[in-house]
Amino acid sequence: MSQMPQLSACPSCEEPLESGDRFCGACGYDLSAVPARPQDNPTITMNGSVPVQGVPATGAYPVPPPSVPPAGAGWPAPGLDGAGGSQAAHLPTDQGTDSGGSALPPDTPPPPGAPPAPAAGVRFDRPPQAADHPVPPGGAEGHPVPPGGYAPQPDGYPAQSETYQAQQPDEYLLQAPDPRVSADPAAQAAGAGGKVCVACRAGRVDDDGYCENCGHAQPRERDHMEQESGPVAAVSDRGLRHHRNEDAFAIGSTALQDGSPASVAIVCDGVSSATRPDDASMAASKAASEALLAALPRGTHPQQAMHDAIIAASRAVNSLAAEPATAREHAPHQNAPACTIVGAVVTSGLLIVGWVGDSRAYWVPVDRSAPPARLTEDDSWAAQMVAAGLMSEAEAYADERAHAITGWLGADAYELEPHTAAFKPDRPGVVVVCTDGLWNYAEAAEEMARVVPLDAATHPLHSARVLVGHALDGGGHDNVTVALVPFPAVSQGAGSA
Protein backbone atom coordinates (compact mmCIF):
# COMPACT_ATOMS: atom_id res chain seq x y z
CA MET A 1 0.00 0.00 0.00
CA SER A 2 1.48 3.33 -1.13
CA GLN A 3 1.78 6.02 1.43
CA MET A 4 -0.29 9.16 1.08
CA PRO A 5 1.55 12.43 0.91
CA GLN A 6 1.97 14.04 4.32
CA LEU A 7 0.29 17.46 4.25
CA SER A 8 0.46 20.08 6.96
CA ALA A 9 -2.66 21.95 5.80
CA CYS A 10 -5.73 21.22 3.72
CA PRO A 11 -5.20 22.19 0.06
CA SER A 12 -8.79 23.49 -0.09
CA CYS A 13 -9.33 25.51 3.12
CA GLU A 14 -5.79 25.53 4.58
CA GLU A 15 -7.08 23.96 7.84
CA PRO A 16 -4.19 22.38 9.83
CA LEU A 17 -4.08 18.60 9.50
CA GLU A 18 -2.86 15.82 11.74
CA SER A 19 -0.81 12.82 10.76
CA GLY A 20 -2.99 10.04 9.30
CA ASP A 21 -5.99 12.24 8.37
CA ARG A 22 -7.78 11.00 5.25
CA PHE A 23 -10.35 13.81 5.11
CA CYS A 24 -10.24 17.46 6.17
CA GLY A 25 -12.11 17.96 9.41
CA ALA A 26 -13.27 21.45 8.38
CA CYS A 27 -14.37 21.10 4.75
CA GLY A 28 -14.33 17.34 4.19
CA TYR A 29 -11.76 17.49 1.37
CA ASP A 30 -10.62 14.01 0.30
CA LEU A 31 -6.92 14.08 1.05
CA SER A 32 -6.30 10.88 -0.87
CA ALA A 33 -7.05 12.76 -4.09
CA VAL A 34 -3.97 14.98 -3.64
CA PRO A 35 -1.40 13.85 -6.20
CA ALA A 36 2.01 12.87 -4.96
CA ARG A 37 4.66 15.60 -5.21
CA PRO A 38 6.84 14.99 -8.27
CA GLN A 39 10.41 14.15 -7.55
CA ASP A 40 12.40 17.27 -8.31
CA ASN A 41 15.86 16.54 -9.62
CA PRO A 42 17.01 19.78 -11.21
CA THR A 43 19.62 19.46 -13.87
CA ILE A 44 22.02 22.24 -14.79
CA THR A 45 22.80 22.16 -18.50
CA MET A 46 26.27 23.25 -19.51
CA ASN A 47 25.70 23.48 -23.27
CA GLY A 48 22.62 25.71 -23.45
CA SER A 49 20.17 23.01 -24.55
CA VAL A 50 17.05 22.19 -22.55
CA PRO A 51 16.70 18.54 -21.50
CA VAL A 52 13.38 16.81 -22.02
CA GLN A 53 11.43 16.64 -18.76
CA GLY A 54 11.54 13.25 -17.16
CA VAL A 55 14.65 12.17 -19.06
CA PRO A 56 18.09 12.33 -17.39
CA ALA A 57 20.35 14.91 -19.03
CA THR A 58 23.12 12.42 -19.76
CA GLY A 59 23.36 13.08 -23.45
CA ALA A 60 21.61 9.82 -24.51
CA TYR A 61 18.32 8.10 -23.83
CA PRO A 62 18.63 4.98 -21.66
CA VAL A 63 15.51 3.56 -23.31
CA PRO A 64 14.94 4.32 -26.99
CA PRO A 65 11.61 5.95 -27.83
CA PRO A 66 8.87 3.70 -29.20
CA SER A 67 9.35 2.79 -32.82
CA VAL A 68 5.61 2.74 -33.61
CA PRO A 69 2.79 5.03 -32.49
CA PRO A 70 0.81 3.85 -29.46
CA ALA A 71 -2.39 2.07 -30.28
CA GLY A 72 -5.28 4.41 -30.88
CA ALA A 73 -3.09 7.48 -30.94
CA GLY A 74 -3.43 9.85 -33.85
CA TRP A 75 -0.44 11.08 -35.78
CA PRO A 76 1.72 12.71 -34.60
CA ALA A 77 2.20 10.66 -31.44
CA PRO A 78 2.72 12.39 -28.07
CA GLY A 79 6.30 13.32 -27.25
CA LEU A 80 8.30 12.06 -24.35
CA ASP A 81 6.93 14.77 -22.08
CA GLY A 82 3.31 13.96 -22.91
CA ALA A 83 2.81 16.94 -25.20
CA GLY A 84 1.80 16.49 -28.76
CA GLY A 85 4.69 16.53 -31.16
CA SER A 86 4.96 19.13 -33.87
CA GLN A 87 4.42 18.38 -37.52
CA ALA A 88 7.24 16.86 -39.45
CA ALA A 89 9.76 19.40 -40.70
CA HIS A 90 10.34 19.86 -44.40
CA LEU A 91 13.06 17.61 -45.67
CA PRO A 92 15.97 19.00 -47.70
CA THR A 93 14.76 16.88 -50.64
CA ASP A 94 11.31 18.51 -50.68
CA GLN A 95 10.77 20.63 -53.76
CA GLY A 96 8.80 23.88 -53.58
CA THR A 97 6.63 25.51 -56.18
CA ASP A 98 6.95 28.75 -58.07
CA SER A 99 4.41 31.58 -58.08
CA GLY A 100 2.35 29.72 -60.70
CA GLY A 101 2.12 26.51 -58.69
CA SER A 102 4.53 24.50 -60.85
CA ALA A 103 7.19 22.40 -59.18
CA LEU A 104 10.65 23.90 -59.13
CA PRO A 105 13.37 21.92 -60.92
CA PRO A 106 16.14 20.49 -58.74
CA ASP A 107 19.05 22.77 -57.79
CA THR A 108 17.29 25.91 -59.00
CA PRO A 109 19.51 28.89 -58.19
CA PRO A 110 17.91 31.53 -55.98
CA PRO A 111 16.54 34.63 -57.71
CA PRO A 112 18.78 37.73 -57.80
CA GLY A 113 18.66 39.77 -54.61
CA ALA A 114 17.33 36.88 -52.51
CA PRO A 115 18.90 36.57 -49.05
CA PRO A 116 21.44 33.75 -48.78
CA ALA A 117 20.17 30.52 -47.27
CA PRO A 118 21.69 29.54 -43.93
CA ALA A 119 24.54 27.12 -44.23
CA ALA A 120 24.43 23.73 -42.60
CA GLY A 121 26.21 23.45 -39.28
CA VAL A 122 27.53 20.83 -36.90
CA ARG A 123 26.10 20.28 -33.42
CA PHE A 124 28.43 19.42 -30.56
CA ASP A 125 25.84 19.62 -27.78
CA ARG A 126 23.94 16.36 -28.54
CA PRO A 127 24.62 12.75 -29.67
CA PRO A 128 25.22 12.02 -33.36
CA GLN A 129 21.99 12.13 -35.32
CA ALA A 130 20.76 10.26 -38.32
CA ALA A 131 20.97 13.52 -40.28
CA ASP A 132 24.66 13.81 -39.31
CA HIS A 133 25.44 10.12 -39.88
CA PRO A 134 22.81 8.64 -42.26
CA VAL A 135 21.94 4.99 -41.71
CA PRO A 136 23.08 2.89 -44.67
CA PRO A 137 20.33 1.56 -46.88
CA GLY A 138 21.00 -1.90 -45.50
CA GLY A 139 20.07 -0.78 -42.02
CA ALA A 140 16.45 -0.41 -43.04
CA GLU A 141 16.34 -4.04 -44.17
CA GLY A 142 17.27 -5.56 -40.82
CA HIS A 143 21.04 -5.07 -40.75
CA PRO A 144 22.49 -3.98 -37.42
CA VAL A 145 22.18 -0.30 -36.75
CA PRO A 146 25.51 1.35 -35.82
CA PRO A 147 25.81 2.73 -32.27
CA GLY A 148 24.24 6.15 -31.97
CA GLY A 149 21.75 5.54 -34.79
CA TYR A 150 18.05 4.72 -34.60
CA ALA A 151 15.99 1.92 -35.98
CA PRO A 152 14.13 2.64 -39.24
CA GLN A 153 10.51 3.79 -38.87
CA PRO A 154 7.44 2.66 -40.75
CA ASP A 155 6.22 4.75 -43.65
CA GLY A 156 4.18 7.79 -42.62
CA TYR A 157 5.75 8.11 -39.16
CA PRO A 158 8.26 10.89 -38.51
CA ALA A 159 11.83 9.79 -38.14
CA GLN A 160 13.11 9.65 -34.57
CA SER A 161 15.95 12.02 -35.41
CA GLU A 162 13.36 14.58 -36.50
CA THR A 163 11.41 14.09 -33.25
CA TYR A 164 14.59 14.57 -31.26
CA GLN A 165 15.55 17.68 -33.23
CA ALA A 166 12.10 19.16 -32.62
CA GLN A 167 12.66 18.76 -28.87
CA GLN A 168 16.15 20.28 -28.88
CA PRO A 169 16.78 23.99 -29.58
CA ASP A 170 18.97 24.84 -32.53
CA GLU A 171 21.50 27.06 -30.79
CA TYR A 172 25.19 26.95 -31.52
CA LEU A 173 25.06 26.33 -35.23
CA LEU A 174 28.73 26.39 -36.10
CA GLN A 175 29.08 27.72 -39.59
CA ALA A 176 31.32 30.01 -41.55
CA PRO A 177 29.97 33.51 -42.34
CA ASP A 178 28.51 33.94 -45.76
CA PRO A 179 30.95 36.01 -47.83
CA ARG A 180 28.04 37.48 -49.78
CA VAL A 181 26.89 39.37 -46.69
CA SER A 182 29.22 42.12 -45.49
CA ALA A 183 29.66 42.16 -41.72
CA ASP A 184 30.95 45.75 -41.72
CA PRO A 185 28.17 48.34 -42.21
CA ALA A 186 30.80 51.06 -42.29
CA ALA A 187 32.37 49.44 -45.32
CA GLN A 188 28.96 49.32 -46.99
CA ALA A 189 28.41 53.04 -46.36
CA ALA A 190 31.88 53.89 -47.60
CA GLY A 191 31.38 51.69 -50.64
CA ALA A 192 28.23 53.66 -51.46
CA GLY A 193 30.39 56.74 -51.98
CA GLY A 194 29.59 58.59 -48.73
CA LYS A 195 31.24 59.38 -45.44
CA VAL A 196 30.71 57.09 -42.45
CA CYS A 197 29.28 58.44 -39.17
CA VAL A 198 31.93 58.95 -36.50
CA ALA A 199 29.40 58.13 -33.74
CA CYS A 200 27.71 54.87 -34.77
CA ARG A 201 30.20 53.84 -37.49
CA ALA A 202 27.30 52.40 -39.43
CA GLY A 203 25.31 55.17 -41.09
CA ARG A 204 26.05 57.28 -44.13
CA VAL A 205 26.41 61.02 -43.67
CA ASP A 206 24.00 63.07 -45.76
CA ASP A 207 24.72 66.34 -47.52
CA ASP A 208 23.60 68.34 -44.45
CA GLY A 209 26.27 66.73 -42.25
CA TYR A 210 24.01 64.40 -40.25
CA CYS A 211 24.08 60.60 -39.95
CA GLU A 212 21.17 58.88 -41.72
CA ASN A 213 21.28 56.10 -39.12
CA CYS A 214 21.60 57.80 -35.70
CA GLY A 215 21.10 61.47 -36.61
CA HIS A 216 24.41 62.52 -35.05
CA ALA A 217 25.86 65.79 -36.36
CA GLN A 218 29.27 65.16 -37.87
CA PRO A 219 32.37 67.18 -37.02
CA ARG A 220 32.94 70.03 -39.43
CA GLU A 221 36.23 70.50 -41.17
CA ARG A 222 36.85 73.69 -39.19
CA ASP A 223 36.16 72.13 -35.80
CA HIS A 224 39.87 71.35 -35.52
CA MET A 225 42.49 72.63 -37.95
CA GLU A 226 46.26 72.29 -37.97
CA GLN A 227 48.84 73.60 -40.43
CA GLU A 228 52.60 73.85 -40.61
CA SER A 229 54.47 75.98 -43.13
CA GLY A 230 58.21 75.81 -42.76
CA PRO A 231 59.09 77.31 -39.36
CA VAL A 232 55.50 78.55 -38.75
CA ALA A 233 52.62 76.48 -37.38
CA ALA A 234 49.04 77.11 -36.28
CA VAL A 235 46.24 75.15 -34.59
CA SER A 236 42.57 76.07 -34.22
CA ASP A 237 39.89 74.25 -32.24
CA ARG A 238 36.15 74.71 -31.76
CA GLY A 239 36.48 74.45 -27.98
CA LEU A 240 34.10 72.74 -25.59
CA ARG A 241 31.13 75.14 -25.48
CA HIS A 242 30.58 76.54 -28.98
CA HIS A 243 28.69 74.65 -31.68
CA ARG A 244 31.07 75.78 -34.43
CA ASN A 245 34.53 77.26 -34.88
CA GLU A 246 34.34 80.93 -35.76
CA ASP A 247 38.13 81.44 -35.70
CA ALA A 248 40.39 81.26 -38.74
CA PHE A 249 44.09 81.55 -39.50
CA ALA A 250 46.48 81.76 -42.43
CA ILE A 251 50.24 81.17 -42.33
CA GLY A 252 53.00 81.20 -44.91
CA SER A 253 56.59 82.01 -45.71
CA THR A 254 58.14 84.05 -48.47
CA ALA A 255 61.30 86.02 -49.31
CA LEU A 256 61.85 89.73 -49.26
CA GLN A 257 63.17 91.62 -52.26
CA ASP A 258 66.75 91.14 -51.06
CA GLY A 259 66.21 87.37 -50.75
CA SER A 260 66.08 87.22 -46.95
CA PRO A 261 63.32 85.01 -45.47
CA ALA A 262 60.06 86.26 -44.02
CA SER A 263 57.32 84.44 -42.12
CA VAL A 264 53.67 85.49 -41.97
CA ALA A 265 50.85 84.56 -39.56
CA ILE A 266 47.29 85.92 -39.49
CA VAL A 267 44.67 84.99 -36.86
CA CYS A 268 41.03 86.18 -36.92
CA ASP A 269 38.17 85.77 -34.45
CA GLY A 270 34.58 86.04 -35.68
CA VAL A 271 32.24 88.26 -33.67
CA SER A 272 29.56 85.89 -32.38
CA SER A 273 26.87 88.56 -32.13
CA ALA A 274 27.15 89.24 -35.87
CA THR A 275 25.86 87.14 -38.71
CA ARG A 276 28.17 84.65 -40.44
CA PRO A 277 31.12 85.26 -38.11
CA ASP A 278 32.86 82.14 -39.40
CA ASP A 279 32.72 83.44 -42.97
CA ALA A 280 34.02 86.83 -41.84
CA SER A 281 37.09 85.39 -40.09
CA MET A 282 37.92 83.10 -42.99
CA ALA A 283 37.60 85.88 -45.57
CA ALA A 284 39.73 88.28 -43.50
CA SER A 285 42.54 85.81 -42.80
CA LYS A 286 42.75 84.75 -46.43
CA ALA A 287 42.73 88.31 -47.79
CA ALA A 288 45.35 89.58 -45.33
CA SER A 289 47.68 86.64 -45.92
CA GLU A 290 47.47 86.94 -49.69
CA ALA A 291 48.13 90.67 -49.50
CA LEU A 292 51.24 90.20 -47.35
CA LEU A 293 52.70 87.36 -49.39
CA ALA A 294 52.22 89.44 -52.53
CA ALA A 295 53.57 92.76 -51.18
CA LEU A 296 56.67 91.62 -49.29
CA PRO A 297 58.56 90.19 -52.32
CA ARG A 298 57.88 93.42 -54.21
CA GLY A 299 59.90 95.40 -51.68
CA THR A 300 57.06 96.92 -49.64
CA HIS A 301 58.16 97.68 -46.10
CA PRO A 302 56.76 95.00 -43.75
CA GLN A 303 54.97 97.55 -41.55
CA GLN A 304 53.30 99.19 -44.54
CA ALA A 305 52.47 95.77 -45.95
CA MET A 306 50.77 94.85 -42.67
CA HIS A 307 48.68 98.04 -42.71
CA ASP A 308 47.60 97.37 -46.29
CA ALA A 309 46.81 93.76 -45.47
CA ILE A 310 44.40 94.83 -42.71
CA ILE A 311 42.68 97.18 -45.15
CA ALA A 312 42.34 94.33 -47.65
CA ALA A 313 40.89 92.09 -44.92
CA SER A 314 38.37 94.78 -44.01
CA ARG A 315 37.21 95.04 -47.61
CA ALA A 316 36.80 91.27 -47.82
CA VAL A 317 34.59 91.26 -44.73
CA ASN A 318 32.60 94.27 -45.97
CA SER A 319 31.84 92.44 -49.20
CA LEU A 320 30.02 89.75 -47.22
CA ALA A 321 27.44 92.36 -46.20
CA ALA A 322 26.45 92.95 -49.80
CA GLU A 323 22.89 91.55 -49.93
CA PRO A 324 19.54 92.35 -51.55
CA ALA A 325 17.77 95.40 -50.18
CA THR A 326 14.85 93.26 -49.03
CA ALA A 327 17.05 90.96 -46.91
CA ARG A 328 17.49 93.53 -44.14
CA GLU A 329 13.72 94.09 -44.07
CA HIS A 330 13.16 90.43 -43.11
CA ALA A 331 15.96 90.49 -40.49
CA PRO A 332 16.31 94.11 -39.33
CA HIS A 333 18.12 93.21 -36.08
CA GLN A 334 20.96 91.23 -37.65
CA ASN A 335 24.42 92.76 -37.67
CA ALA A 336 26.76 92.65 -40.63
CA PRO A 337 29.49 89.95 -40.60
CA ALA A 338 32.40 91.04 -38.40
CA CYS A 339 35.66 89.74 -36.92
CA THR A 340 38.87 90.79 -35.22
CA ILE A 341 42.34 90.38 -36.70
CA VAL A 342 45.94 90.13 -35.50
CA GLY A 343 48.98 89.36 -37.59
CA ALA A 344 52.75 89.11 -37.43
CA VAL A 345 55.54 89.41 -39.99
CA VAL A 346 58.96 88.13 -38.91
CA THR A 347 62.13 88.77 -40.90
CA SER A 348 65.80 88.22 -40.06
CA GLY A 349 65.95 91.32 -37.86
CA LEU A 350 62.47 92.85 -37.69
CA LEU A 351 59.19 91.91 -36.01
CA ILE A 352 55.97 93.59 -37.20
CA VAL A 353 52.55 93.13 -35.62
CA GLY A 354 49.17 94.55 -36.66
CA TRP A 355 45.71 94.20 -35.18
CA VAL A 356 42.13 95.41 -34.85
CA GLY A 357 40.05 94.10 -31.94
CA ASP A 358 41.08 92.05 -28.93
CA SER A 359 43.12 89.25 -30.52
CA ARG A 360 46.70 89.46 -29.25
CA ALA A 361 50.39 88.86 -30.00
CA TYR A 362 52.98 87.97 -27.31
CA TRP A 363 56.76 87.85 -27.37
CA VAL A 364 58.34 84.91 -25.53
CA PRO A 365 62.17 84.74 -25.64
CA VAL A 366 63.97 81.40 -25.91
CA ASP A 367 65.97 82.40 -22.82
CA ARG A 368 63.22 82.35 -20.22
CA SER A 369 65.32 84.42 -17.85
CA ALA A 370 64.59 87.38 -20.15
CA PRO A 371 61.21 89.07 -19.70
CA PRO A 372 58.31 88.27 -22.08
CA ALA A 373 56.02 91.01 -23.41
CA ARG A 374 52.58 91.61 -24.81
CA LEU A 375 52.92 93.31 -28.21
CA THR A 376 49.31 94.49 -28.78
CA GLU A 377 46.70 96.61 -26.98
CA ASP A 378 43.08 95.49 -27.02
CA ASP A 379 40.31 97.45 -28.70
CA SER A 380 37.95 96.67 -25.83
CA TRP A 381 35.95 98.25 -23.04
CA ALA A 382 38.39 97.00 -20.41
CA ALA A 383 41.39 98.52 -22.20
CA GLN A 384 39.62 101.87 -22.45
CA MET A 385 38.83 101.85 -18.73
CA VAL A 386 42.48 101.13 -17.90
CA ALA A 387 43.79 103.74 -20.37
CA ALA A 388 41.49 106.37 -18.89
CA GLY A 389 42.66 105.53 -15.39
CA LEU A 390 39.14 104.69 -14.26
CA MET A 391 39.89 101.08 -13.25
CA SER A 392 42.87 98.89 -12.62
CA GLU A 393 43.61 96.16 -15.14
CA ALA A 394 42.49 93.43 -12.74
CA GLU A 395 39.23 95.27 -12.00
CA ALA A 396 38.53 96.02 -15.65
CA TYR A 397 39.04 92.46 -16.90
CA ALA A 398 36.96 91.06 -14.03
CA ASP A 399 33.98 93.11 -15.22
CA GLU A 400 31.38 91.37 -17.38
CA ARG A 401 31.84 94.11 -20.01
CA ALA A 402 35.57 93.47 -20.32
CA HIS A 403 35.40 91.67 -23.69
CA ALA A 404 33.06 94.14 -25.37
CA ILE A 405 35.19 95.20 -28.33
CA THR A 406 35.43 98.76 -29.58
CA GLY A 407 37.14 97.97 -32.88
CA TRP A 408 36.51 95.26 -35.49
CA LEU A 409 36.41 94.55 -39.21
CA GLY A 410 32.94 94.80 -40.73
CA ALA A 411 30.56 96.97 -42.67
CA ASP A 412 29.07 98.44 -39.49
CA ALA A 413 32.41 99.28 -37.81
CA TYR A 414 32.54 102.84 -36.48
CA GLU A 415 35.88 103.68 -38.05
CA LEU A 416 38.66 101.41 -39.22
CA GLU A 417 41.93 102.19 -37.44
CA PRO A 418 44.55 99.51 -38.17
CA HIS A 419 47.19 99.31 -35.43
CA THR A 420 50.75 98.38 -36.37
CA ALA A 421 53.96 98.22 -34.37
CA ALA A 422 57.58 97.34 -35.22
CA PHE A 423 60.13 95.69 -32.90
CA LYS A 424 63.79 94.70 -33.19
CA PRO A 425 64.40 91.92 -30.67
CA ASP A 426 67.98 91.42 -29.55
CA ARG A 427 67.64 87.68 -28.92
CA PRO A 428 65.83 84.68 -30.44
CA GLY A 429 62.31 83.93 -29.37
CA VAL A 430 58.86 83.05 -30.59
CA VAL A 431 55.83 85.23 -31.39
CA VAL A 432 52.51 83.88 -30.07
CA VAL A 433 49.60 85.11 -32.21
CA CYS A 434 46.27 84.09 -30.67
CA THR A 435 42.60 84.77 -30.04
CA ASP A 436 41.05 85.42 -26.64
CA GLY A 437 40.12 81.74 -26.48
CA LEU A 438 43.74 81.16 -25.46
CA TRP A 439 44.79 84.31 -23.63
CA ASN A 440 41.75 84.10 -21.35
CA TYR A 441 43.67 81.25 -19.67
CA ALA A 442 47.08 82.97 -19.79
CA GLU A 443 46.40 86.69 -19.84
CA ALA A 444 49.62 88.23 -18.56
CA ALA A 445 52.82 87.89 -20.58
CA GLU A 446 54.45 85.99 -17.72
CA GLU A 447 51.54 83.51 -17.64
CA MET A 448 51.79 82.98 -21.39
CA ALA A 449 55.55 82.40 -21.15
CA ARG A 450 54.98 79.71 -18.51
CA VAL A 451 52.65 77.67 -20.72
CA VAL A 452 54.64 78.01 -23.96
CA PRO A 453 56.92 74.93 -24.30
CA LEU A 454 60.66 75.56 -24.11
CA ASP A 455 61.19 74.10 -27.59
CA ALA A 456 58.48 76.22 -29.24
CA ALA A 457 60.96 77.84 -31.63
CA THR A 458 62.10 74.47 -33.01
CA HIS A 459 58.82 72.53 -32.67
CA PRO A 460 56.08 75.09 -33.36
CA LEU A 461 53.30 72.66 -34.32
CA HIS A 462 53.69 70.55 -31.19
CA SER A 463 53.85 73.70 -29.07
CA ALA A 464 50.70 75.11 -30.67
CA ARG A 465 48.89 71.87 -29.81
CA VAL A 466 50.08 72.18 -26.23
CA LEU A 467 48.73 75.73 -25.98
CA VAL A 468 45.33 74.72 -27.39
CA GLY A 469 45.25 71.84 -24.94
CA HIS A 470 45.96 74.27 -22.11
CA ALA A 471 42.88 76.29 -23.06
CA LEU A 472 40.70 73.20 -23.38
CA ASP A 473 41.89 71.92 -20.01
CA GLY A 474 40.98 75.29 -18.54
CA GLY A 475 37.38 74.96 -19.72
CA GLY A 476 37.45 75.67 -23.46
CA HIS A 477 34.68 78.27 -23.18
CA ASP A 478 35.56 79.83 -26.54
CA ASN A 479 37.11 78.90 -29.87
CA VAL A 480 40.88 78.58 -29.50
CA THR A 481 43.38 79.57 -32.19
CA VAL A 482 47.14 80.12 -31.91
CA ALA A 483 49.99 80.56 -34.40
CA LEU A 484 53.67 80.38 -33.43
CA VAL A 485 56.30 82.28 -35.45
CA PRO A 486 59.98 81.81 -34.48
CA PHE A 487 62.30 84.82 -34.55
CA PRO A 488 64.49 85.38 -36.47
CA ALA A 489 62.95 84.01 -39.62
CA VAL A 490 64.49 80.84 -41.01
CA SER A 491 64.99 80.41 -44.73
CA GLN A 492 62.62 77.68 -45.94
CA GLY A 493 62.03 78.73 -49.53
CA ALA A 494 59.47 81.19 -50.78
CA GLY A 495 55.82 80.44 -51.21
CA SER A 496 52.61 80.30 -49.27
CA ALA A 497 51.48 77.20 -47.42
Side-chain angles (χ1 to χ4, degrees):
M1 181 177 178
S2 62
Q3 296 181 354
M4 292 184 299
Q6 298 297 324
L7 301 176
S8 60
C10 174
S12 175
C13 65
E14 299 184 357
E15 179 72 15
L17 301 176
E18 296 182 0
S19 177
D21 286 349
R22 294 177 178 272
F23 298 91
C24 176
C27 66
Y29 187 83
D30 186 1
L31 301 178
S32 63
V34 178
R37 178 178 299 178
Q39 198 155 7
D40 186 11
N41 296 319
T43 301
I44 300 177
T45 58
M46 303 301 293
N47 56 11
S49 61
V50 181
V52 180
Q53 185 174 356
V55 179
T58 60
Y61 289 96
V63 179
S67 60
V68 295
W75 189 88
L80 295 174
D81 58 353
S86 59
Q87 295 183 356
H90 289 289
L91 299 178
T93 56
D94 292 345
Q95 299 294 332
T97 60
D98 58 16
S99 59
S102 304
L104 292 173
D107 299 329
T108 302
V122 180
R123 291 289 299 261
F124 292 98
D125 60 339
R126 66 187 183 198
Q129 302 301 313
D132 302 331
H133 305 283
V135 179
E141 298 177 0
H143 292 282
V145 179
Y150 292 108
Q153 304 299 322
D155 294 341
Y157 190 76
Q160 294 168 357
S161 62
E162 297 174 9
T163 304
Y164 183 86
Q165 291 175 358
Q167 296 166 348
Q168 294 289 329
D170 284 342
E171 308 97 341
Y172 311 126
L173 282 177
L174 305 180
Q175 62 186 42
D178 195 318
R180 292 174 293 178
V181 180
S182 172
D184 188 1
Q188 296 179 356
K195 294 181 180 179
V196 180
C197 175
V198 300
C200 67
R201 300 299 301 167
R204 190 182 71 88
V205 179
D206 60 19
D207 296 337
D208 294 331
Y210 292 87
C211 175
E212 295 179 346
N213 180 53
C214 66
H216 189 87
Q218 304 303 296
R220 300 176 178 89
E221 182 180 358
R222 292 181 60 177
D223 283 356
H224 185 87
M225 301 181 292
E226 296 184 358
Q227 187 179 350
E228 190 171 25
S229 175
V232 190
V235 176
S236 180
D237 193 90
R238 177 171 59 94
L240 305 179
R241 301 296 181 89
H242 284 235
H243 69 284
R244 65 180 175 185
N245 189 0
E246 298 171 355
D247 290 356
F249 66 82
I251 59 176
S253 58
T254 186
L256 301 179
Q257 194 173 32
D258 59 1
S260 59
S263 300
V264 173
I266 299 293
V267 169
C268 297
D269 183 0
V271 178
S272 297
S273 60
T275 60
R276 301 166 60 192
D278 51 337
D279 292 340
S281 62
M282 182 63 71
S285 61
K286 183 179 179 181
S289 174
E290 292 177 349
L292 284 170
L293 294 174
L296 292 174
R298 293 198 302 260
T300 306
H301 190 275
Q303 189 166 2
Q304 181 63 43
M306 177 63 72
H307 181 276
D308 296 341
I310 295 176
I311 298 296
S314 176
R315 291 171 180 167
V317 177
N318 293 348
S319 66
L320 298 178
E323 54 189 0
T326 57
R328 193 55 65 92
E329 297 178 2
H330 297 289
H333 301 293
Q334 288 186 351
N335 298 325
C339 69
T340 67
I341 187 172
V342 61
V345 175
V346 172
T347 67
S348 58
L350 193 63
L351 166 59
I352 304 296
V353 294
W355 73 96
V356 172
D358 63 349
S359 295
R360 294 181 177 180
Y362 291 84
W363 164 255
V364 178
V366 172
D367 181 8
R368 297 303 169 88
S369 62
R374 197 176 90 190
L375 307 178
T376 58
E377 293 292 336
D378 297 344
D379 289 325
S380 67
W381 178 90
Q384 286 187 347
M385 294 298 103
V386 174
L390 300 177
M391 302 175 71
S392 67
E393 187 172 4
E395 293 173 342
Y397 283 100
D399 193 281
E400 61 181 4
R401 297 166 289 180
H403 290 278
I405 58 176
T406 58
W408 62 89
L409 303 183
D412 56 356
Y414 299 128
E415 184 178 355
L416 179 60
E417 295 182 2
H419 310 291
T420 61
F423 304 91
K424 291 184 178 181
D426 58 355
R427 64 196 68 198
V430 63
V431 183
V432 181
V433 185
C434 63
T435 62
D436 59 348
L438 172 60
W439 66 253
N440 277 333
Y441 303 98
E443 185 174 338
E446 294 75 16
E447 294 175 330
M448 183 64 71
R450 283 195 293 267
V451 298
V452 172
L454 296 176
D455 60 350
T458 55
H459 299 86
L461 180 58
H462 168 74
S463 300
R465 292 170 178 164
V466 170
L467 292 174
V468 170
H470 173 75
L472 297 180
D473 292 342
H477 288 74
D478 200 354
N479 306 145
V480 188
T481 302
V482 58
L484 296 180
V485 189
F487 177 89
V490 181
S491 179
Q492 296 288 336
S496 172

